[in-house]
Amino acid sequence: MKIYYQPQKKLFFHSDPSLASLLFGRNSYILYRENEPYKYCFDISSKGTVCGPVIGILTAKKKGSYQGNFPLFQNLQKAIQSKGGLSFVFSYSDIGKERVAGLCFHEEKNMWVPCTFPIPNFIYNRIPSPSDEKSDEFLDFLQWARNRNIHFFNPHFFNKWEVHQSLFQSESVQPHLPETRLLQNSEDLLEYLAEKKKVYIKPVLSSKGKGIRLIELCEDGQILCKSTKKIEKFIRFDRLILKYPEWFETDTFIYQEAIHCKKMNDHRYDLRVLVHNSGKGFGITGIGIRISERQEVTTHVPQGGRILPFQRIESKELVKRIEVLASDCGEQLQTTFGLIGEFSMDLGIKEDSGTLIIFEINAKPMRFDEGEIEEKRLENLADAFFLHSASARQYST
């Protein structure tokens, strides 16, 4: 059916005389109106006296402008609307007592249009930075959502140390974890480097390979410090420490053993795995390969990595092992952090044993460059929103 929006009155309405009203969002109704002028028209599904659902996409607003991945938001809104739902982008400052202002992509007009929506049935957290999630506004949002029993995912950006601690509690996942420690003093780091010879330093809150360093102890006692852009050489360990004092700020960096993993054409590669929660468990949406050709620190494309098709190494046995590991990780993370709707995993394959190694798990995956994976991602997300909206509606009634 079609619903209409009147911007002067900030009002949604329908024109079907057989229906007096339709439940719309968490707490509102669309009323029948005859000959009401309108500016925007939307297609929406209805079942009995219920229509929608309405999905809110939470992002940040800076100096009056919405932040975040708008190409993703636009494609996601198209996927939601193609299934009969309605979605909109909003920020903390848009939340009113009973309604929420925001932007909706109008496909016919091919533009973003401002509307005032009911409180959504479900919320997709796409806050663009960890610092935004540490704000008082985000804490207020969490309380607002709890008070109204609004479900959302994902709960927050993943802290690498907290993720490691969570996954380490799972007996099935533990063998896939590199040895990882919180970086608190230089003495422990030096002792570990002397033992392992190669060590990764990683910020606990970062993405796209930013801030990662690979430290290597040479036979002559010198230290190499490799980033995605340069290689630094230090004659002694204490010189390295003087260069990077921020590593020892409280709980902000981890250090991790550098595991020898399989290479392709003498270059390191990772498996980039996209995982979604269908409501019946965690399943793989897609797998890609990212290979590094200019440096060995990270395979992320923004840092010089290159994309290869998974078919280069694909086998039924490998896919099955990844599926089991993804499911085990999802269940464990959900036990620790709450409702998890999606995540991505960066995996390596250990050179000597073939064991899958978890390098990183991200709560808010970047766009996948493989078109078929990204298309399936949008479909799976939309399905998950509808499923969780329906379960929340049943719970509330």
Side-chain angles (χ1 to χ4, degrees):
M1 67 174 299
K2 294 187 180 298
I3 61 173
Y4 308 90
Y5 186 72
Q6 223 284 12
Q8 286 74 29
K9 297 180 180 179
K10 298 181 179 179
L11 174 74
F12 281 96
F13 66 94
H14 73 86
S15 60
D16 186 344
S18 66
L19 296 169
S21 64
L22 286 167
L23 183 62
F24 187 46
R26 293 285 295 177
N27 66 338
S28 185
Y29 289 89
I30 298 179
L31 301 178
Y32 166 73
R33 287 177 181 258
E34 188 177 8
N35 299 324
E36 179 83 35
Y38 67 91
K39 189 169 184 179
Y40 309 123
C41 173
F42 302 93
D43 289 314
I44 196 166
S45 64
S46 63
K47 187 175 182 180
T49 58
V50 177
C51 68
V54 179
I55 308 300
I57 302 173
L58 177 65
T59 188
K61 189 186 282 187
K62 302 287 176 65
K63 296 181 179 179
S65 297
Y66 290 98
Q67 309 296 301
N69 188 343
F70 265 76
L72 170 63
F73 300 163
Q74 179 176 328
N75 289 330
L76 188 53
Q77 291 202 33
K78 288 180 179 179
I80 292 169
Q81 290 174 13
S82 72
K83 294 177 179 291
L86 193 64
S87 60
F88 66 98
V89 175
F90 74 104
S91 70
Y92 313 127
S93 61
D94 296 317
I95 298 174
K97 186 176 180 180
E98 297 297 336
R99 296 196 293 175
V100 182
L103 292 179
C104 182
F105 185 77
H106 195 285
E107 191 164 1
E108 185 178 338
K109 293 182 179 293
N110 194 33
M111 61 184 291
W112 292 90
V113 298
C115 302
T116 300
F117 299 86
I119 292 176
N121 299 101
F122 191 82
I123 292 174
Y124 181 39
N125 175 13
R126 290 300 303 196
I127 292 292
S129 74
S131 60
D132 287 323
E133 290 186 338
K134 293 184 179 297
S135 66
D136 290 339
E137 289 87 351
F138 186 72
L139 296 178
D140 290 341
F141 160 76
L142 293 179
Q143 190 59 53
W144 175 84
R146 289 192 198 102
N147 290 344
R148 288 158 179 79
N149 193 35
I150 304 173
H151 297 166
F152 67 95
F153 63 66
N154 288 320
H156 49 68
F157 279 94
F158 284 154
N159 176 301
K160 291 181 178 61
W161 177 239
E162 293 175 357
V163 166
H164 176 79
Q165 289 179 301
S166 172
L167 296 180
F168 196 78
Q169 296 175 38
S170 168
E171 290 185 7
S172 62
V173 176
Q174 194 178 115
H176 302 277
L177 299 173
E179 188 174 349
T180 303
R181 301 177 184 178
L182 195 61
L183 183 49
Q184 296 180 307
N185 61 73
S186 59
E187 292 81 9
D188 290 346
L189 178 59
L190 177 58
E191 182 180 340
Y192 195 73
L193 182 61
E195 176 189 351
K196 301 293 185 180
K197 308 307 180 188
K198 281 187 177 185
V199 178
Y200 279 102
I201 308 291
K202 298 181 178 182
V204 296
L205 287 172
S206 70
S207 62
K208 304 177 185 178
K210 294 178 181 177
I212 295 178
R213 298 290 189 275
L214 176 60
I215 303 174
E216 183 175 350
L217 178 61
C218 302
E219 290 185 2
D220 61 3
Q222 295 191 85
I223 309 290
L224 295 181
C225 181
K226 301 177 181 180
S227 71
T228 59
K229 293 182 171 58
K230 61 182 178 180
I231 299 176
E232 300 171 288
K233 183 179 284 189
F234 300 88
I235 60 172
R236 296 194 311 271
F237 183 75
D238 59 343
R239 298 290 181 90
L240 170 69
I241 300 309
L242 288 173
K243 178 69 181 292
Y244 293 102
E246 67 272 15
W247 288 353
F248 306 98
E249 296 174 1
T250 305
D251 299 345
T252 54
F253 285 82
I254 56 173
Y255 59 105
Q256 195 172 74
E257 66 174 318
I259 294 177
H260 293 288
C261 289
K262 290 183 178 181
K263 293 185 176 182
M264 190 180 296
N265 302 324
D266 292 324
H267 295 289
R268 64 161 292 189
Y269 70 89
D270 293 347
L271 299 174
R272 191 67 43 81
V273 183
L274 183 60
V275 185
H276 285 98
N277 182 354
S278 67
K280 299 178 182 178
F282 291 89
I284 293 175
T285 296
I287 306 173
I289 295 177
R290 302 295 183 268
I291 187 168
S292 178
E293 295 185 323
R294 291 191 288 124
Q295 40 78 27
E296 59 177 319
V297 178
T298 177
T299 64
H300 286 86
V301 173
Q303 308 297 340
R306 189 162 66 90
I307 299 165
L308 292 177
F310 177 56
Q311 288 74 17
R312 292 279 292 268
I313 62 168
E314 184 177 8
S315 70
K316 290 183 179 180
E317 183 268 341
L318 177 58
V319 170
K320 181 61 179 177
R321 289 197 290 138
I322 296 172
E323 287 175 341
V324 171
L325 182 58
S327 177
D328 290 346
C329 287
E331 295 297 340
Q332 178 59 41
L333 292 171
Q334 191 156 256
T335 298
T336 303
F337 300 116
L339 181 60
I340 303 292
E342 69 172 341
F343 60 92
S344 65
M345 311 171 66
D346 296 347
L347 305 177
I349 303 175
K350 199 169 182 180
E351 192 172 44
D352 55 1
S353 64
T355 301
L356 292 170
I357 301 297
I358 302 171
F359 293 131
E360 191 168 334
I361 293 184
N362 297 294
K364 301 181 184 181
M366 297 187 299
R367 180 184 182 277
F368 270 65
D369 294 283
E370 295 90 342
E372 68 279 6
I373 296 179
E374 189 65 14
E375 186 175 336
K376 190 175 179 183
R377 173 194 190 182
L378 297 171
E379 182 179 347
N380 286 350
L381 278 173
D383 287 342
F385 297 153
F386 277 61
L387 179 68
H388 289 296
S389 295
S391 62
R393 186 180 292 131
Q394 290 170 1
Y395 181 82
S396 66
T397 55

